[in-house]
């Protein structure tokens, strides 16, 4: 199946710009590159993680749209676009052109409408559709792709195309109305990561029966961001109740005699506002644009242009991460192998990590601790320290279901210890009881990467993590909210270090992937020790950054005290769901 990603450019640009508002990224030329960095990181994350077969980026047009023509107050309350964003947009379009990614922009229509049109068309194509099957709802093309598409260019027939699954990358709730079985929202989560919302998720989120009713909801609630009124005094709860009772705004307005009291008066007095709001909230799916699915096909970037742009923008880290990875892919694809040649290994390629330190190039002391005598010895060492970096190796990413496979600890950089935990619960508890006083010591600062997970896993073994906690993932979110917050990415950025990735031990995701329980502790211990060590190193790098950005109060007084509360809520919720 084809996989098409459609990005709402301005939504991502604004999100990136304001994420860095307290700590803007300004290069030596005085250019604020915050929006550009955030957008490029998001784009690259999608390309790497999701590996779409097709992609397009939609922009709002210059000048008025059909909505502002119909309703002069539409978005009129918004402040003028920040100058830094205005300067960033043409550069982002240049980067997209170098990436060979089409820019979709139609005069008079917002990006929502362009995405709505392309998503609805692409998602409705079936297996007998062909490449010359085009999205054409008007005779004239007004889109502005990175490489212009001519409406008169001959399109040769091609083999039958697979059906297409469409993902609309946007934080905008309005897109819920477009969702279908093959069209989904790919929504950035607060705190990092994404959630995919199909019909079930949209309907559950808003308490409605059909995704099309998102328009009805907006028509009644209004939208302060877009400045259209809805029905004054009708909030989300009342709007949901009315939609579920009447089915649609149209039915509601035809049956106002069934309403009572103040609500009846509100709806009848603001019928015109509700109808106008319905019009403004409806995303068009018939924008005049003509293109084929092949026009959106992912292509290799023009590395020379991309490299030049990255150099001008002073994006050295991004250039290393993106361009070297692309170079490696091309090199592998273009290498001719004879039956007598060895397949090139990562070490023979110009890997993006070629200049990074690794576990093989860095001096370290990682120890496997598998006797009771040694366990008691390291416990006595840890007990005298004021800080403990910890990690757990488990059988599952689901903390409630996970069984412990091992514990890792670090109290100083480049030195760590790993304690394997047997599958037999009685034997496991015997070992855990040695370290229980350490975990529950209220005087020792506990450092972890997503330490909430470790807290929940340990609770399954009757260990209550106590004392102050320091979460590197949360700290990094406050410092760099638009970047990835996993330990591997942070190690590359702050330590110039490539960690051992878990799939090197248990294999890639899929049916053949092994569990950590399947591996001998001698194969696991260096990986596990590295986790605790790198987490401690990251804490030491991130702590001064929190202070410099004046995020300490938010981190220590809100985020970290909230973490165990959220863990308790999760555990209570999952406990109830299993009864």
């Amino acid at each position: 199946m084809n996989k098409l990603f459609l990005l709402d450019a301005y939504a991502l640009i604004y999100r990136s710009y304001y994420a860095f508002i307290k700590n803007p990224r300004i290069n030596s030329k005085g250019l604020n590159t915050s929006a550009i960095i955030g957008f490029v990181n998001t784009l690259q994350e999608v390309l790497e993680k999701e590996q779409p077969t097709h992609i397009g980026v939609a922009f709002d047009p210059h000048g008025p749209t059909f909505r502002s023509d119909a309703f002069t107050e539409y978005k009129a309350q918004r402040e003028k676009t920040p100058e830094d964003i205005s300067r960033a947009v043409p550069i982002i379009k240049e980067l997209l052109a170098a990436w060979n990614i089409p820019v979709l922009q139609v005069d008079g229509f917002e990006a929502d409408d362009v995405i709505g049109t392309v998503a609805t068309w692409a998602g409705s194509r079936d297996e007998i559709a062909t490449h010359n099957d085009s999205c054409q709802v008007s005779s004239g093309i007004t889109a502005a792709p990175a490489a212009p598409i001519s409406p008169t260019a001959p399109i040769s027939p091609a083999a039958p195309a697979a059906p297409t699954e469409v993902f609309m990358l946007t934080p905008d709730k309005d897109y819920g109305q477009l969702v279908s079985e093959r069209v989904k929202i790919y929504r950035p989560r607060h705190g990092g990561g994404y959630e995919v919302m199909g019909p079930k998720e949209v309907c559950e989120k808003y308490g409605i029966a059909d995704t099309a009713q998102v328009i009805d909801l907006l028509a009644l609630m209004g939208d302060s961001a877009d400045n259209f009124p809805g029905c004054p005094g009708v909030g989300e709860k009342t709007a949901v109740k009315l939609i579920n009772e009447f089915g649609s705004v149209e039915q509601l307005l035809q049956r106002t005699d069934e309403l009572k009291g103040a609500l009846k008066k509100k709806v009848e007095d603001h019928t015109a506002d509700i109808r106008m709001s319905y019009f403004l909230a409806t995303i068009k799916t018939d924008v005049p644009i003509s293109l084929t699915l092949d026009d959106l096909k992912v292509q290799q970037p023009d590395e020379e242009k991309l490299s030049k742009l990255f150099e001008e923008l002073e994006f050295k880290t991004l250039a290393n991460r993106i361009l070297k990875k692309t170079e490696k892919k091309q090199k592998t694809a273009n290498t001719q192998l004879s039956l007598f040649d060895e397949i090139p290994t990562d070490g023979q390629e110009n890997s993006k990590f070629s200049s990074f330190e690794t576990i093989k190039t860095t001096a370290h002391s990682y120890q496997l601790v598998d006797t009771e005598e040694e366990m008691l010895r390291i416990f006595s060492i840890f007990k005298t320290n004021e800080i403990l970096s910890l990690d757990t190796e488990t059988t599952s990413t689901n903390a409630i279901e996970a069984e412990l496979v091992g514990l890792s600890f670090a109290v100083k950089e480049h030195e760590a210890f790993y304690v394997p935990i047997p599958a037999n619960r009685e034997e496991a508890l015997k070992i855990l009881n040695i370290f229980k006083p350490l975990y529950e010591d209220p005087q020792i600062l506990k450092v972890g990467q997503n330490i909430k997970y470790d807290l929940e896993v340990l609770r399954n073994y009757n260990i209550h993590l106590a004392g102050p906690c320091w979460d590197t993932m949360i700290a990094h979110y406050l410092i760099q909210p638009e970047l990835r917050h996993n330990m591997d990415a942070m190690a590359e950025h702050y330590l110039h270090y490539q960690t051992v990735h878990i799939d090197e031990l248990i294999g890639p995701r899929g049916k053949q992937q092994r569990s950590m329980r399947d591996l001998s502790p001698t194969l696991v211990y260096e990986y596990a020790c590295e986790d605790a060590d790198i987490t401690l190193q990251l804490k030491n790098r991130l702590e001064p950054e929190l202070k410099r950005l004046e995020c300490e109060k938010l981190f220590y007084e809100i985020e970290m005290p909230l973490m165990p509360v959220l863990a308790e809520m999760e555990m209570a919720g999952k406990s109830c769901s299993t009864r």
Side-chain angles (χ1 to χ4, degrees):
M1 179 177 282
N2 292 319
K3 194 175 189 181
L4 168 62
F5 265 76
L6 297 170
L7 281 61
D8 184 344
Y10 274 100
L12 298 176
I13 289 169
Y14 269 86
R15 190 170 183 268
S16 301
Y17 174 74
Y18 283 105
F20 290 112
I21 199 68
K22 290 184 178 179
N23 184 29
R25 300 301 190 257
I26 298 172
N27 66 16
S28 64
K29 301 168 188 173
L31 175 68
N32 185 330
T33 60
S34 299
I36 306 169
I37 288 174
F39 184 89
V40 169
N41 270 308
T42 300
L43 176 63
Q44 184 64 15
E45 187 174 14
V46 167
L47 292 171
E48 284 182 6
K49 180 183 174 184
E50 297 297 337
Q51 298 186 346
T53 58
H54 299 76
I55 194 166
V57 180
F59 284 79
D60 291 331
H62 307 292
T65 67
F66 75 93
R67 289 185 181 84
S68 57
D69 288 342
F71 188 68
T72 55
E73 295 175 29
Y74 182 72
K75 294 188 178 180
Q77 89 291 0
R78 292 193 180 182
E79 296 180 4
K80 185 181 176 183
T81 302
E83 182 61 30
D84 289 328
I85 288 181
S86 297
R87 293 176 68 188
V89 169
I91 297 170
I92 289 172
K93 287 183 177 179
E94 280 188 74
L95 286 164
L96 290 170
W99 240 301
N100 287 315
I101 294 175
V103 169
L104 308 174
Q105 183 173 316
V106 182
D107 289 342
F109 297 90
E110 295 177 66
D112 307 33
D113 304 302
V114 176
I115 289 176
T117 299
V118 177
T120 302
W121 163 74
S124 65
R125 298 169 78 249
D126 58 30
E127 293 191 23
I128 62 170
T130 57
H131 286 296
N132 64 316
D133 187 17
S134 65
C135 170
Q136 189 164 3
V137 276
S138 173
S139 57
I141 180 170
T142 50
I149 305 165
S150 168
T152 57
I155 304 172
S156 56
T164 301
E165 189 172 25
V166 184
F167 295 88
M168 304 175 292
L169 204 170
T170 178
D172 195 337
K173 63 181 181 294
D174 299 14
Y175 282 81
Q177 64 189 268
L178 300 168
V179 168
S180 65
E181 288 306 317
R182 284 194 195 162
V183 178
K184 298 177 175 66
I185 296 174
Y186 192 79
R187 187 172 180 269
R189 277 199 185 104
H190 180 73
Y194 299 87
E195 64 176 330
V196 176
M197 298 182 69
K200 179 175 178 288
E201 290 77 15
V202 170
C203 290
E204 285 180 355
K205 180 177 178 63
Y206 297 110
I208 52 181
D210 188 273
T211 56
Q213 292 176 324
V214 169
I215 309 172
D216 299 281
L217 274 183
L218 293 169
L220 288 174
M221 293 163 50
D223 191 324
S224 57
D226 288 343
N227 202 40
F228 57 79
C231 181
V234 172
E236 184 173 350
K237 287 185 179 179
T238 303
V240 169
K241 182 181 176 183
L242 290 172
I243 296 307
N244 285 327
E245 183 178 349
F246 291 90
S248 69
V249 159
E250 188 56 42
Q251 279 296 309
L252 170 67
L253 296 180
Q254 289 180 19
R255 295 158 53 191
T256 55
D257 56 305
E258 297 177 31
L259 299 174
K260 295 180 181 178
L263 182 59
K264 181 175 187 294
K265 179 172 173 55
K266 284 178 185 175
V267 173
E268 289 180 341
D269 287 352
H270 295 92
T271 295
D273 287 337
I274 295 170
R275 290 193 184 280
M276 176 55 74
S277 297
Y278 188 93
F279 170 77
L280 297 172
T282 302
I283 295 176
K284 279 191 169 290
T285 56
D286 59 353
V287 169
I289 182 172
S290 177
L291 50 80
T292 69
L293 198 61
D294 273 356
D295 296 325
L296 300 170
K297 199 166 186 177
V298 171
Q299 302 178 46
Q300 283 291 329
D302 185 326
E303 292 197 357
E304 187 177 343
K305 287 183 181 177
L306 208 52
S307 178
K308 185 178 178 181
L309 286 167
F310 283 158
E311 186 178 347
E312 290 174 358
L313 292 165
E314 300 171 11
F315 288 176
K316 186 176 180 181
T317 303
L318 276 174
N320 287 336
R321 180 160 67 90
I322 294 170
L323 292 175
K324 289 185 179 179
K325 176 167 284 191
T326 304
E327 180 184 329
K328 178 179 174 182
K329 285 180 180 176
Q330 285 185 320
K331 200 167 184 179
T332 303
N334 294 334
T335 300
Q336 283 191 317
L337 299 175
S338 76
L339 292 173
F340 308 100
D341 288 334
E342 291 184 359
I343 297 174
T345 64
D346 284 349
Q348 292 170 299
E349 299 287 353
N350 289 327
S351 167
K352 75 167 185 171
F353 299 116
S354 59
S355 61
F356 283 16
E357 296 291 341
T358 69
I359 197 169
K360 295 177 181 178
T361 64
T362 304
H364 62 274
S365 174
Y366 293 166
Q367 297 180 39
L368 173 62
V369 179
D370 55 3
T371 67
E372 185 175 350
E373 182 183 358
E374 280 296 293
M375 292 176 196
L376 291 169
R377 183 183 71 81
I378 64 169
F379 169 78
S380 63
I381 295 172
F382 297 154
K383 201 55 177 152
T384 62
N385 279 268
E386 296 179 351
I387 183 171
L388 177 71
S389 178
L390 60 92
D391 190 45
T392 56
E393 298 305 328
T394 65
T395 58
S396 172
T397 56
N398 184 323
I400 305 302
E401 299 174 357
E403 294 180 9
L404 276 169
V405 174
L407 313 172
S408 51
F409 306 96
V411 292
K412 63 170 70 172
E413 293 188 9
H414 306 296
E415 183 178 300
F417 305 84
Y418 177 69
V419 179
I421 300 296
N424 181 280
R425 189 168 180 86
E426 186 176 337
E427 293 177 15
L429 288 172
K430 184 179 177 182
I431 294 173
L432 285 161
N433 283 337
I434 295 175
F435 297 97
K436 183 179 170 88
L438 185 69
Y439 286 119
E440 296 184 347
D441 190 327
Q443 303 304 316
I444 297 176
L445 174 68
K446 315 301 189 305
V447 179
Q449 164 74 8
N450 188 18
I451 202 168
K452 178 162 68 69
Y453 174 85
D454 304 293
L455 184 154
E456 293 178 3
V457 170
L458 291 168
R459 184 65 61 83
N460 295 336
Y461 291 82
N462 197 33
I463 292 176
H464 295 256
L465 199 64
C469 290
W470 214 102
D471 194 319
T472 51
M473 184 180 74
I474 293 174
H476 189 247
Y477 171 71
L478 296 179
I479 294 165
Q480 299 267 32
E482 279 301 314
L483 300 186
R484 292 177 295 168
H485 311 302
N486 61 68
M487 190 186 72
D488 299 336
M490 286 192 281
E492 292 168 24
H493 180 74
Y494 290 98
L495 308 175
H496 210 63
Y497 182 95
Q498 181 200 0
T499 57
V500 177
H501 294 182
I502 191 168
D503 55 10
E504 295 176 41
L505 294 177
I506 61 175
R509 287 184 182 181
K511 293 181 180 179
Q512 302 302 316
Q513 188 179 59
R514 295 179 292 175
S515 164
M516 292 295 273
R517 180 74 76 196
D518 300 329
L519 304 180
S520 163
T522 57
L523 297 176
V524 174
Y525 84 94
E526 285 207 308
Y527 164 83
C529 285
E530 183 188 64
D531 280 356
D533 176 25
I534 294 299
T535 298
L536 181 61
Q537 292 185 47
L538 287 172
K539 184 261 182 188
N540 293 338
R541 306 304 187 278
L542 296 172
E543 194 168 26
E545 282 292 289
L546 282 175
K547 185 174 183 179
R548 184 176 69 83
L549 298 174
E550 299 180 351
C551 293
E552 289 179 298
K553 186 173 182 180
L554 177 59
F555 179 76
Y556 291 112
E557 297 183 17
I558 297 177
E559 294 289 355
M560 293 320 302
L562 181 61
M563 181 275 297
V565 176
L566 293 175
E568 292 288 348
M569 292 171 64
E570 285 181 13
M571 289 184 289
K574 288 174 182 176
S575 174
C576 290
S577 67
T578 57
R579 289 178 184 173

